Amino acid sequence: MRTTNKQKNPFIMPERYTEEFTFRMMLRIDREGQTRPTASSSVLRRHLYQSYVRYAIGVAAVMAFFHVCTRTSLVEMQTNSPVAQQENKMMASTGKDAVYYYLMMNDQTLYDYEANNE
Amino acid sequence: MPTLLTRLRNSETRHEAFKELVHTYTPQLYSQIRRIVLYHDDADDVLQNTFMKAWIALDNFRGDAQLSTWLYRIAMNESLTFLQKQRENLSLDSDESSVIQKLEADRYFDGDKAEAQLQTAISMLPDKQRIVFNLRYFDNLSYDEISQILGTSVGALKASYHFATQKLKSFLETIEI
């Protein structure tokens, strides 16, 4: 920086301003900027992004694990339950059997139904 | 003895080194900021913000440019920000005559009416032209140095300076000296 052309400069700096200003400035830094100067915004962004990605991967892994566990037990429950077994029967049956099953007929009503319809 | 920059980069010596930096560059930066914002109290605020920004961004300073150029750049940006905020809160007493009166009444302004009129005319320039004019005319900086500080091409700076001098000439012709 070059020296200012003082002859052209009508703006006066108050006496002992430099010393007084330096004192005030360092007080302000001690008060507001005590922590170590921050890292650059790009470094902070990268750090935040990496943390976010790690967190997201972790959450996704946990969710996937629970999904697999609950799905497996649900399938087992569905296959072994009486309702499922009945449903399987229905799926296996065809024609009249399906209709009877749908109409919730037991053996007695079934025979009555068939006798009436013949 | 390690350089100022080396000591600024060392966390153990940083505080003392920054104190030295503030003490060293306060006169030059104050002078430049004061010409842009005109009044002592405003210059004091902008100067504080300049050093505060420098302290916070110390780790970002790569050392490509000189420390003084870096500080000058922060100071000019802070001055521009101040002018923009000032314009948003534009008061009714910011016309030419009131600026001249305020300058003449300022105890930290050592100039006659003609000088006050010149400074007022400069303050009426667009912000960038005002800064270019001050750096070139009062600080005698080369266009290359101003280009480093403002990040503007030399050609654009020459054009800015030319327009600034033309405007000042026509402005000063219209007022009585």
Side-chain angles (χ1 to χ4, degrees), chain B residues 33-49:
Chain B
I33 292 168
R34 178 81 194 277
R35 276 203 216 93
I36 294 165
V37 302
L38 295 181
Y39 308 112
H40 169 73
D41 288 344
D42 295 337
D44 187 79
D45 286 346
V46 173
L47 189 58
Q48 277 194 50
N49 291 341

Side-chain angles (χ1 to χ4, degrees), chain B residues 84-97:
Chain B
Q84 281 160 6
K85 280 184 187 164
Q86 197 181 45
R87 205 169 297 114
E88 285 166 14
N89 305 319
L90 196 63
S91 60
L92 293 171
D93 65 345
S94 57
D95 63 335
E96 294 148 27
S97 57

Side-chain angles (χ1 to χ4, degrees), chain B residues 13 42 74 78 124 131 162 164 168:
Chain B
T13 53
D42 295 337
I74 299 173
E78 281 300 309
M124 298 294 159
I131 287 175
H162 173 73
L168 287 176

Side-chain angles (χ1 to χ4, degrees), chain A residues 1-2 4 10 17 24 30, chain B residues 15 35 44 72 108 110 140:
Chain A
M1 234 185 286
R2 290 184 193 173
T4 303
Y17 177 74
R24 272 191 296 128
D30 289 342
Chain B
H15 195 273
R35 276 203 216 93
D44 187 79
Y72 238 137
Y108 298 122
D110 182 28
N140 298 320

Side-chain angles (χ1 to χ4, degrees), chain A residues 2-20:
Chain A
R2 290 184 193 173
T3 314
T4 303
N5 188 343
K6 289 187 175 66
Q7 286 181 331
K8 291 181 197 169
N9 187 7
F11 297 108
I12 304 165
M13 197 167 73
E15 209 174 324
R16 296 196 56 79
Y17 177 74
T18 304
E19 290 76 16
E20 183 259 341

Side-chain angles (χ1 to χ4, degrees), chain A residues 38-51, chain B residues 59-60:
Chain A
T38 55
S40 70
S41 55
S42 60
V43 172
L44 277 175
R45 268 200 304 274
R46 197 167 58 235
H47 179 70
L48 276 172
Y49 177 74
Q50 285 173 349
S51 307
Chain B
D59 284 344
N60 296 347

Side-chain angles (χ1 to χ4, degrees), chain A residues 11 39 50 73 89 97 104:
Chain A
F11 297 108
Q50 285 173 349
S73 55
K89 272 185 198 170
D97 289 346
M104 300 173 77

Side-chain angles (χ1 to χ4, degrees), chain A residues 52-102:
Chain A
Y52 173 77
V53 167
R54 280 194 207 120
Y55 175 75
I57 290 171
V59 168
V62 170
M63 285 175 72
F65 176 74
F66 276 106
H67 178 72
V68 169
C69 289
T70 49
R71 180 94 182 143
T72 311
S73 55
L74 201 66
V75 167
E76 281 173 10
M77 275 171 65
Q78 282 174 347
T79 346
N80 298 330
S81 69
V83 179
Q85 284 170 355
Q86 278 189 333
E87 278 178 357
N88 289 342
K89 272 185 198 170
M90 182 185 170
M91 294 296 284
S93 60
T94 52
K96 282 182 182 176
D97 289 346
V99 174
Y100 300 151
Y101 179 78
Y102 181 74

